[in-house]
Amino acid sequence: MVPPGYTHIWDCCCDHGLLGAALLFDQAAPHIHFVDVLPGLINQLNEKLQRFYPVADYSWHTHCLDTAALPLEHYPGKHLIIIAGVGGELITRFIQEIHRTHPGAQLDFLLCPVHQEYDLRQQLIALDFRLKEEVLLSDNQRFYEVLLVSADQKGIAEWHKISPVGDKIWQAGTPAQESIARRYLHKTLKHYQNSQKGSADNAREAIDAYRAVTISTGGL
């Protein structure tokens, strides 16, 4: 889900750097950036990168800072910002701040929230972002929505409106995909039904939206 054409790719909340390292190995962009707020993690990552990806052969940068404070102004070109492994509420804060402080930048985001997917989608819609791709994955008994979205108003017609609950993730081309979609829909509805008991503000709205979902099996 990382298309070609980016000058800089930012692996934010990079943890141990495995995703960024894979992008380095594949030469996915001229410059790969690793971002995390923990100094100890960045120090360890620097050592590993210098050992396995010497700067003479690879162009990488590490940044110990809050993802909301990415210094994009110092790196001209088209950017893909990857934010994964954190909740939708935190991702929303990152995106809102980055979008506010870099209004003219060419920005795409590849997002994989660990929860609060519905809330994140609401905020992306409010920001008038557009969708290029979305997939639903299952790994280690957990489900993940992955969204490739854009804040770049140039060429925005090539992208699609973002659905509050997803569109393509419910289009199953194989029996395995259908199983993942049905299990994820059941799990999500159960979550919001439980949230409704606790008087969550948007639970009723989310329940109605997910109940309206139809899983397309593509003739399976």
Side-chain angles (χ1 to χ4, degrees):
M1 291 186 66
V2 177
Y6 296 105
T7 312
H8 301 275
I9 298 179
W10 302 76
D11 178 14
C12 302
C13 309
C14 65
D15 197 21
H16 300 293
L18 296 180
L19 175 59
L23 295 170
L24 266 179
F25 183 80
D26 291 340
Q27 297 183 329
H31 304 278
I32 306 295
H33 302 258
F34 298 78
V35 182
D36 203 280
V37 75
L38 300 176
L41 190 151
I42 289 297
N43 290 336
Q44 293 176 9
L45 187 56
N46 269 317
E47 295 176 2
K48 292 179 181 178
L49 290 171
Q50 289 167 2
R51 178 180 178 186
F52 295 106
Y53 299 94
V55 291
D57 301 317
Y58 299 90
S59 180
W60 51 265
H61 316 262
T62 58
H63 309 264
C64 184
L65 46 76
D66 188 325
T67 293
L70 295 183
L72 303 183
E73 67 276 10
H74 300 308
Y75 300 95
K78 187 175 182 179
H79 301 265
L80 176 64
I81 300 172
I82 303 176
I83 311 176
V86 295
E89 183 177 346
L90 186 57
I91 291 177
T92 295
R93 180 177 75 81
F94 291 154
I95 290 176
Q96 288 176 332
E97 188 63 19
I98 292 169
H99 186 54
R100 184 186 68 81
T101 53
H102 304 282
Q106 292 180 279
L107 297 180
D108 295 345
F109 294 85
L110 184 59
L111 309 173
C112 183
V114 294
H115 47 72
Q116 299 165 325
E117 295 88 352
Y118 183 80
D119 299 310
L120 174 60
R121 285 176 176 271
Q122 303 307 306
Q123 293 303 315
L124 292 172
I125 293 169
L127 289 168
D128 200 27
F129 278 32
R130 291 295 187 270
L131 176 78
K132 184 170 186 180
E133 185 63 88
E134 62 179 9
V135 298
L136 176 64
L137 304 174
S138 176
D139 180 67
N140 197 25
Q141 299 183 338
R142 295 195 64 173
F143 299 98
Y144 300 95
E145 293 184 31
V146 187
L147 299 89
L148 178 60
V149 301
S150 181
D152 185 6
Q153 295 300 316
K154 299 175 183 177
I156 205 77
E158 301 174 8
W159 300 59
H160 307 283
K161 289 186 176 181
I162 298 172
S163 164
V165 294
D167 182 18
K168 292 184 67 176
I169 63 174
W170 309 115
Q171 299 174 21
T174 67
Q177 290 173 344
E178 181 187 6
S179 175
I180 290 171
R182 292 194 184 283
R183 287 185 286 126
Y184 180 59
L185 181 57
H186 174 77
K187 175 180 178 292
T188 304
L189 271 170
K190 185 177 180 181
H191 164 73
Y192 280 107
Q193 286 165 348
N194 290 335
S195 297
Q196 187 181 26
K197 297 174 184 176
S199 301
D201 292 339
N202 67 341
R204 181 73 260 172
E205 175 187 315
I207 289 170
D208 291 341
Y210 282 107
R211 278 180 174 167
V213 166
T214 299
I215 297 175
S216 170
T217 58
L220 291 176

